[in-house]
Structure formats: C-alpha cells, structure tokens
Amino acid sequence: MSIDTSPRRQPVDPDDPVDRAVDDTADDLVVRRPHGREPDISVGEVARRIYRLFHNKRFGLFLILAMMVLTLLGVLFPQAPDGVRSDPELMASWLETVRPTFRGWTTPLAVLGIFSMFSSPAFVTVVSLLVLSIIACTTHRMPLLWQQSMNPRVHVRDTFFDRARLSVAAVLPVGRDEAIEQVRSRLRGRRFRVLADETTPGRLYADQNRFAPVGTIIAHTAFVVILAGVLITGQFGLQLNNFPVTIGTTRAVGYDTGLAVEARAFSDTYHPDGRPADYVSELVLWHDGVEVAHQDVRVNTPLRWGGYSVNQASFGIAAMFAVTDAAGAVVHEGGIPLQYATPDELYSYGRVELADRNLVFYVITPASGQVTPDIRPGEAQLEVYALDADNTPIDTQLLTPGATATIADLTFTFEREAQYTGLMVSRDPGALWVWIGAALIMIGTCWTMFLRHHRVWTRVTPNDDGTTTVTFASPDRHDSVFQDSIRTLAAQLADPADAPRR
C-alpha cells in the first residue's frame, strides 16, 4: 500500500493570465520507469486520451473546418431528393438527369456521397464528432469555471501587480487597517464580492458577475442542440420540393409515411395588369385511408398535420392517360403532370416509368403560350423508350383527346387535358431543437456580453510616513468601462473631495 504525498493543486486554466502568475510552490513529481520497460495502458488511460483528444482546440477547429467544407459541397452540388437516395433505381434515374452537367465525374461524385451530402456517412460522422468535441470541451471547462466562481484564486505574486493589463495605485492618508476597510467598503458598494488573502496580510480579491462564464456553457450547449437538430432532420426528415398532383386525383406520398394527397380543385386569380394575385388548392390529406385534414392551401398558408407540411409551390397542365396491357389490365391510370420544359422552353413534358415492363414513356405538348408546327393545341405527342436502351424511341405517335395508340403490347389512351397543382411536402423533426438552440445562443451571447466577469486584486502597503499605498491590478481583457471604474475608485480613495464621480 502506497501513500500519495504529492501536493494537491487547484485546476489550472492555461488561458487565464492569473493562473500563469500565481504563487504555486508545489513541485511536480516526476516518476521514472525502469529503462526499456513499456508502461501498461489501462482502459481508463485510453478513455482519458480519447477525452483529451476531443477537448483539444486544434481537433475541434479541424472538425469545424471539415463541416464547413462538406456543407459548402452540399450547397454547390445539386442534392438528390428525399426518397430517391434510398431507391437504387430512382437514384440511377436521377443521376442521368445531372450526367450532362458533370459527365464522367457523375459516378465518382455519387460514390463519394456529394449528391446526398447532408445524409452521407461523412457528414453524419463529422457532425457527430463535432458534437462530442463540444461536449468534451464544455465538461473540461466546467470545473475551471466553477472553481473561478465559487473558490477563486485570491493569492498572486508581487510581480503580478506590475505586469497586469490594468494597474492603478492610490496613496491614502490613513493606516493600513483603515485603508483595507475603506477599500472593502468601496468595492462592496460597487457590488463586488470581496475575499481576503489569508496567506498574505493586506491583500484582497474582488469580482463582479462571477457566474458570467456560465454564458459560454449555455452557448456551447446551444451548438450541441442545433447540431443534434440537424442530424435528426437529416436522418428522419422529409423534403419533397416537387410533388405534383393532378386535380381530381389522389397521389400517395410514399416513403413509409402512409400519407396521400387528394387535389379536389384549383383556382388562380390575377390583378388587372396580369400579375398573379392568388393560387388556391383545395386539398384533402389522407393517412392510412382515413381523412385527417381538409384545407384550402395557398402560397403562405400551408396545410399542417402530424409534423408534416404541405405548401403550394406551382401549377400547370397535366395529361390524363390510361395504359392497359393486351389482357385489358390497367398498367397506369391518372394524370401526368407536364412539369418539365425542354431547353428551348417550347415544349412541356411529363415522364412515367413502367419499371416492371422496362419501359418509360413521355407525354409532350406545346408549352403555355407557345405555338409549334409539329404539335397543335390540344394534341399530345407520345414517345415510348426502353429503360435499358439508348435514346432511340420504340415508337412515337401524335394523339388527340380520346385517341389510342398500341406500342410494345400496351394500349395508351389520351383521355383529356387537366390541371395539376405543384406542392412541397416536408417534415422537419429537428426544427424544434434548432429553434431551442437558437434561443440558447441568444441567451448565452447576451449573458456573456452584458454580464462580464470582472476581477481585481488589491495590495495594501503601509508607507514610512504613515500613509498607505493601495494598488489595484486586473489581468482581464480590455474593458474601458471597468478600467475607468477602477481608476475612479482609486481617485476617490486618494482624495474623495476632488475625485470625479462615477
């Protein structure tokens, strides 16, 4: 059994200039191991090393820079919509839409997760490590802040009074004991906590707003809450920016939500000068076959239910098509929103995949307000392609309302034109945590900025002529208001009649 005889030390903050100027007389004990013998590393030591890594400032800065780089990549590069990333076929189809832009880099960028950055393993890992780093920094800092608040270091060397950022001296025409009482009274009158240095007579320590450093803990906690909200939204949120529903039909949202949106009506109104005045969609929201909401949705009036939000985004023309096989079974039926435009903006088109038959067909009409020589108003051009083939269509036919075409053993019927409403469907489960984190940041910032921790050490030294010299010193960062206050205090002590008022 061994007895630890090493002297106990208070926690030392390397960022505090006082801790670099304190009078610590204990010597560090150096334990030397026999030459050539490697020390055994316990599980606790491994945990402590990992903890030291996470509260290391350089490691935290590296994680912040890494998150900034990944976030910038996610902003600069287009991101695959929710639901597409989890479906290999849909993801492959989406990549084909961006391949003309990125060409040969498309596949490598997709493998690296650039097109799904905010849910990629790299982003999740960096954000998770940053959360752990902030928690480690906060827990590492808390004992030091608690020590400064509840049991501050009151003793400093004599050289501290000469080297401190603020050093002010005043000569009082009284003895030492009376000078100490005057200093203590004046400081308490300014709402300072005053503590005596028990090791050295004539020394005082005083501080204001001793719990001000708690603001940094609140701010660090806020960042953890915000990053947690970002992770929650990235993993469990939903964002469908382009969700068209043909008027008079119901479309399932999918993605295991159990939701379906029925569009019963749509109206748009305009000002006399042609500017749009209002877009209104009458929507019914269904969940597992049960109607849960019914509302007129406008641009700034979304339908909200169960954490989901349905917003009005756009509108346009749709084509009602029915597709049957040789036996008369329905393969596809409903509206096809013509939500895409050709590069020359002369045509609008919609796209439907028949994955079980390895086919995709396009419906093309003139864009709104456009007159084209090959497709007349009211007509629709049908183009059918094989999914795994090149860009050569299997067949192309021009259809009028009510006409049919038989292509690849399927019968396509163009029933009529209709209207669709473009919606945005979203669910943001992390939004509440982000708002809470934002509020904590405001509280922590105001706490830190307006309740600054002011510290001052006082040395009272008797002179041979019966007077007493009082020296105030503070190492804190520049604060003109606090420094003027200490200078005014010193002047009042030296000559209360002529000293300027605070």
Side-chain angles (χ1 to χ4, degrees):
M1 178 177 179
S2 61
I3 300 176
D4 185 8
T5 59
S6 60
R8 299 298 181 185
R9 289 172 172 246
Q10 293 179 335
V12 176
D13 184 0
D15 296 331
D16 192 341
V18 176
D19 284 345
R20 298 195 298 266
V22 295
D23 186 12
D24 281 330
T25 58
D27 296 328
D28 293 331
L29 298 181
V30 180
V31 179
R32 301 185 182 276
R33 296 183 175 87
H35 179 70
R37 181 181 175 182
E38 293 295 333
D40 296 332
I41 301 179
S42 63
V43 176
E45 179 61 24
V46 173
R48 283 190 291 271
R49 292 185 180 184
I50 295 175
Y51 179 68
R52 286 196 296 268
L53 172 66
F54 275 94
H55 72 67
N56 183 276
K57 293 181 179 180
R58 294 182 180 178
F59 184 67
L61 179 60
F62 168 77
L63 292 176
I64 293 174
L65 294 177
M67 191 185 73
M68 291 176 59
V69 171
L70 295 178
T71 302
L72 182 62
L73 292 175
V75 172
L76 295 178
F77 288 87
Q79 300 296 293
D82 288 343
V84 171
R85 299 188 294 268
S86 59
D87 190 323
E89 294 183 359
L90 292 178
M91 187 65 183
S93 300
W94 185 85
L95 289 176
E96 292 303 318
T97 63
V98 298
R99 193 173 296 278
T101 302
F102 299 100
R103 302 182 183 276
W105 290 96
T106 304
T107 301
L109 291 175
V111 172
L112 293 174
I114 300 299
F115 299 123
S116 55
M117 177 55 66
F118 299 109
S119 61
S120 65
F123 187 82
V124 173
T125 300
V126 170
V127 173
S128 300
L129 291 177
L130 182 57
V131 168
L132 294 176
S133 177
I134 295 176
I135 293 175
C137 290
T138 303
T139 56
H140 176 69
R141 191 99 175 125
M142 285 177 63
L144 302 175
L145 298 179
W146 181 258
Q147 181 73 21
Q148 291 179 4
S149 300
M150 304 304 298
N151 188 22
R153 192 180 301 278
V154 298
H155 180 76
V156 292
R157 296 190 180 110
D158 287 333
T159 55
F160 168 78
F161 290 90
D162 300 326
R163 299 176 181 177
R165 287 191 177 96
L166 172 65
S167 182
V168 181
V171 178
L172 279 64
V174 295
R176 189 187 70 175
D177 293 340
E178 186 177 350
I180 292 176
E181 290 303 319
Q182 289 187 19
V183 171
R184 181 182 285 110
S185 176
R186 293 277 187 172
L187 288 173
R188 286 176 176 172
R190 294 168 181 261
R191 298 180 181 178
F192 277 86
R193 176 184 58 166
V194 182
L195 301 175
D197 183 356
E198 301 296 340
T199 62
T200 306
R203 299 285 183 89
L204 297 175
Y205 165 83
D207 63 1
Q208 282 180 326
N209 306 324
R210 55 174 168 163
F211 293 109
V214 175
T216 61
I217 297 178
I218 296 176
H220 288 177
T221 303
F223 283 113
V224 171
V225 173
I226 290 175
L227 292 176
V230 172
L231 287 178
I232 292 172
T233 296
Q235 297 302 308
F236 306 105
L238 177 68
Q239 183 69 39
L240 302 177
N241 294 323
N242 187 13
F243 187 77
V245 182
T246 304
I247 304 302
T249 66
T250 301
R251 181 181 176 186
V253 175
Y255 312 121
D256 298 325
T257 61
L259 296 177
V261 179
E262 178 187 357
R264 292 188 176 178
F266 177 83
S267 64
D268 52 317
T269 57
Y270 298 86
H271 294 289
D273 59 0
R275 293 181 295 109
D278 196 11
Y279 304 145
V280 184
S281 296
E282 182 185 355
L283 303 181
V284 177
L285 187 65
W286 300 82
H287 183 256
D288 293 335
V290 179
E291 180 180 331
V292 294
H294 183 185
Q295 179 183 321
D296 288 343
V297 175
R298 291 176 167 84
V299 174
N300 295 319
T301 310
L303 184 154
R304 303 183 188 276
W305 178 84
Y308 293 91
S309 178
V310 182
N311 293 266
Q312 180 70 53
S314 61
F315 67 95
I317 301 299
M320 300 295 293
F321 260 78
V323 183
T324 58
D325 59 13
V330 177
V331 177
H332 172 82
E333 187 175 18
I336 303 174
L338 308 179
Q339 55 185 319
Y340 306 109
T342 56
D344 56 10
E345 298 185 353
L346 293 177
Y347 302 91
S348 299
Y349 66 93
R351 179 179 184 273
V352 177
E353 282 191 11
L354 304 175
D356 56 340
R357 296 181 179 272
N358 196 35
L359 294 175
V360 58
F361 69 92
Y362 293 82
V363 178
I364 307 170
T365 65
S368 177
Q370 298 292 338
V371 178
T372 58
D374 50 345
I375 304 177
R376 293 178 296 180
E379 294 181 335
Q381 182 170 301
L382 174 68
E383 296 182 0
V384 182
Y385 296 80
L387 279 175
D388 56 358
D390 54 17
N391 293 328
T392 303
I394 297 175
D395 196 0
T396 299
Q397 294 199 26
L398 195 63
L399 302 178
T400 57
T404 62
T406 300
I407 304 173
D409 296 329
L410 296 176
T411 300
F412 297 82
T413 303
F414 176 30
E415 297 177 344
R416 60 183 175 85
E417 283 190 347
Q419 198 172 30
Y420 79 87
T421 176
L423 306 173
M424 293 188 298
V425 182
S426 62
R427 178 175 180 269
D428 191 355
L432 176 61
W433 298 106
V434 173
W435 282 108
I436 292 175
L440 290 176
I441 283 183
M442 293 182 61
I443 294 173
T445 302
C446 293
W447 192 314
T448 303
M449 294 295 295
F450 298 107
L451 294 176
R452 298 188 63 175
H453 188 199
H454 296 146
R455 301 174 298 172
V456 60
W457 281 259
T458 305
R459 180 180 60 188
V460 181
T461 307
N463 301 321
D464 295 336
D465 58 357
T467 61
T468 303
T469 300
V470 177
T471 306
F472 298 96
S474 176
D476 294 337
R477 296 175 182 176
H478 178 72
D479 186 336
S480 58
V481 175
F482 171 65
Q483 292 180 357
D484 290 344
S485 174
I486 297 300
R487 292 191 179 98
T488 301
L489 173 60
Q492 290 175 347
L493 288 170
D495 192 347
D498 296 336
R501 294 191 174 273
R502 207 181 149 188

